[in-house]
Amino acid sequence: DYHIQGMTIDTILQLVRLVLDNQYFVYNYKFYKQTQGGASGSLLTIPLVYIYLFYWQHDLLSNLINNNELFLRYRDEAFITWNRSEDELRSILTMAYTEFSQPIWNITEIGSTIHFRDIKISNDNGVLQTSVYHECMYHEPVLPPSLDLLQLPIQRNVWSWLRKSILKAIRYCSTEYSFKNELIHISIILRIHDFSDETFTQGHEEVIEDFGVTIRDEIACVPTYDTMRRHLFAYDKYRQIKAIKATQPPGPQQEIILQLPYPSNWDKTVIDNFEQEINHILKENFENHSQIKQLKIRILQTQENPFPIVHFLIKKRPDVNYLTLPDETKPKPYMY
């Protein structure tokens, strides 16, 4: 009887089976029905693969955790650390494969240095180090890396490309040495595309300024690069939290009602525009304030003003005797 978004589990399984049993494609002018697997990239196939891998990786994870190893998976690509023989690793993977009718992964690379997507991972005498990985062609690095296709082309927006490249270098490079090498690589790309060294220098300095790099930390003296990485990771965490909050329903909005005097020739349209402008200024200046950002100002239209508008706009000096009168004899202010 359990429901997921209004549907029973049995209904969901029937719909999945309906799709898997009715997959067709055309090849070489012939019409075929697919009897195993699913279409690559299908909106249904992708989550099914993730579910499949989730249950498959349980036994493998237990073995790795018991030996203090790492297991990382991004969609259908995985990375693991292994400090025993290669034969033992292949034996464990073979045993895991026997539980399912179809193969899960192909082993693409085993070694002390490998790449996982666009990150290079190496085991340096027991220390795991990372840096940016670049595809190579004819023994020369491809410029830019394959995953940089997701970025704006360098010729269209060099500042966006440069900033993303430097930030990626900070995130990926675990040592200052590899980071400096990546900066050299970025500067070479700029020169190839006829950009000056000043472009690189300015972009680099802006990143340093944005993340407040200082040589001396509040607690202890730390290397500048380590400080920059800590600041960037903190910024990434802040963005993740902000993105999560953006998906959550907004809380109750506090409303402030103001009864303000205004000229008699103002109609409802003018008042509404003025109200929108005030709320826009409030939102623009206090967007990150936890309480004020929830405020909303509403101006009520009244039939007549208690005072002439000129009474508020002209600076007047009170009589001296008014200032010296006892409190009980002073005229009461107008209340409305």
Side-chain angles (χ1 to χ4, degrees):
D1 295 334
Y2 185 74
H3 288 70
I4 300 177
Q5 295 186 359
M7 292 188 294
T8 64
I9 295 179
D10 184 60
T11 300
I12 295 174
L13 293 177
Q14 290 182 32
L15 292 173
V16 170
R17 177 56 58 189
L18 176 66
V19 174
L20 294 179
D21 289 344
N22 293 276
Q23 298 184 102
Y24 301 90
F25 62 94
V26 176
Y27 175 72
N28 199 19
Y29 302 102
K30 293 184 179 180
F31 193 66
Y32 294 88
K33 179 178 181 179
Q34 186 168 348
T35 58
Q36 288 188 347
S40 177
S42 165
L43 295 178
L44 175 63
T45 305
I46 293 175
L48 288 180
V49 169
Y50 297 163
I51 295 172
Y52 195 80
L53 292 174
F54 175 78
Y55 286 100
W56 174 85
Q57 68 191 28
H58 276 184
D59 292 339
L60 178 61
L61 272 175
S62 299
N63 193 301
L64 294 172
I65 292 173
N66 292 335
N67 290 279
N68 295 321
E69 302 288 3
L70 295 177
F71 176 89
L72 305 174
R73 179 168 67 84
Y74 177 75
R75 296 184 177 178
D76 58 349
E77 297 183 55
F79 159 78
I80 65 174
T81 59
W82 188 258
N83 287 284
R84 286 172 283 171
S85 69
E86 182 176 334
D87 290 338
E88 288 183 89
L89 174 61
R90 294 186 181 276
S91 175
I92 290 177
L93 290 175
T94 300
M95 291 178 60
Y97 286 152
T98 58
E99 299 182 12
F100 294 88
S101 58
Q102 296 183 7
I104 308 297
W105 278 309
N106 294 321
I107 300 176
T108 58
E109 198 172 2
I110 296 178
S112 59
T113 299
I114 63 171
H115 76 275
F116 181 63
R117 299 184 67 81
D118 62 340
I119 185 169
K120 181 180 178 181
I121 308 169
S122 59
N123 184 344
D124 185 9
N125 296 323
V127 178
L128 203 64
Q129 296 185 348
T130 58
S131 59
V132 180
Y133 172 76
H134 299 281
E135 290 281 0
C136 291
M137 183 179 297
Y138 304 113
H139 306 290
E140 293 293 335
V142 175
L143 306 177
S146 57
L147 287 188
D148 285 352
L149 295 175
L150 300 177
Q151 301 179 357
L152 292 174
I154 186 172
Q155 292 288 358
R156 286 181 53 192
N157 193 331
V158 63
W159 298 111
S160 175
W161 179 90
L162 178 57
R163 183 177 180 84
K164 290 179 180 179
S165 298
I166 295 176
L167 292 180
K168 183 169 73 172
I170 298 173
R171 293 185 180 102
Y172 285 18
C173 296
S174 57
T175 65
E176 188 172 4
Y177 176 78
S178 60
F179 173 67
K180 289 181 177 179
N181 285 338
E182 184 61 23
L183 291 182
I184 294 174
H185 182 84
I186 294 172
S187 64
I188 292 175
I189 298 176
L190 290 172
R191 292 172 189 168
I192 290 176
H193 290 277
D194 298 325
F195 290 102
S196 65
D197 292 341
E198 181 63 26
T199 301
F200 170 79
T201 301
Q202 184 176 345
H204 185 209
E205 289 177 351
E206 286 181 359
V207 171
I208 293 177
E209 182 179 355
D210 287 346
F211 292 96
V213 179
T214 54
I215 296 178
R216 181 168 295 278
D217 191 61
E218 295 179 357
I219 300 177
C221 186
V222 296
T224 301
Y225 179 63
D226 290 344
T227 306
M228 185 160 52
R229 291 195 86 204
R230 288 194 295 106
H231 289 180
L232 179 56
F233 291 153
Y235 171 69
D236 289 340
K237 185 176 181 180
Y238 162 77
R239 288 200 310 168
Q240 292 175 355
I241 295 174
K242 188 176 181 180
I244 293 174
K245 288 184 177 180
T247 61
Q248 297 174 348
Q253 190 175 49
Q254 184 178 355
E255 186 176 72
I256 297 178
I257 300 177
L258 299 180
Q259 289 185 329
L260 301 177
Y262 50 85
S264 58
N265 60 343
W266 281 20
D267 56 13
K268 188 177 185 305
T269 303
V270 176
I271 296 174
D272 290 343
N273 291 337
F274 185 60
E275 178 183 297
Q276 292 177 7
E277 183 65 22
I278 291 178
N279 285 295
H280 174 73
I281 295 174
L282 193 67
K283 180 179 179 181
E284 192 176 54
N285 291 277
F286 297 97
E287 184 178 4
N288 296 325
H289 196 284
S290 59
Q291 296 179 341
I292 297 182
K293 70 177 183 179
Q294 299 294 338
L295 297 180
K296 180 182 179 182
I297 296 177
R298 185 160 61 95
I299 301 176
L300 296 181
Q301 187 176 14
T302 58
Q303 296 296 327
E304 58 182 13
N305 298 321
F307 303 116
I309 193 67
V310 69
H311 187 84
F312 292 90
L313 299 181
I314 295 179
K315 183 177 181 181
K316 293 185 176 182
R317 178 187 298 175
D319 295 334
V320 175
N321 63 344
Y322 177 81
L323 298 177
T324 57
L325 287 175
D327 290 340
E328 60 272 10
T329 60
K330 291 181 181 179
K332 300 297 182 182
Y334 187 91
M335 302 297 293
Y336 65 96

